[in-house]
Amino acid sequence: MLEAAKLFFTASRWHGEPTVREPGRCTEWRWWPLTALPEPTVDYTRAALEAISRGTPYTAAGWN
């Protein structure tokens, strides 16, 4: 089965408070330290957050 690609972006500017815009997919927003992400956190999300925290602008994880 072919899996859809996942893209993550970081914001360079932000104002306001995040809101849940897809309540059927997400019930709430919370801020978590990178060293204590909740379980389950899917592997590609964890990999993206770790790469962003290292300043890595791109990773090819999942792109076969």
Side-chain angles (χ1 to χ4, degrees), residues 32-39 46 49-50 53:
W32 299 89
L34 286 175
T35 57
L37 294 174
E39 292 297 335
R46 188 177 301 276
L49 292 171
E50 289 171 356
S53 72

Side-chain angles (χ1 to χ4, degrees), residues 1-5 7-8 10 15-16 22 26-28 31 39 41-44 46-47 54 56 61-62:
M1 178 191 304
L2 187 61
E3 188 175 326
L7 299 173
F8 293 81
T10 58
H15 64 87
E22 295 182 287
C26 177
T27 58
E28 68 179 329
W31 301 108
E39 292 297 335
T41 297
V42 294
D43 292 339
Y44 64 83
R46 188 177 301 276
R54 291 190 310 268
T56 303

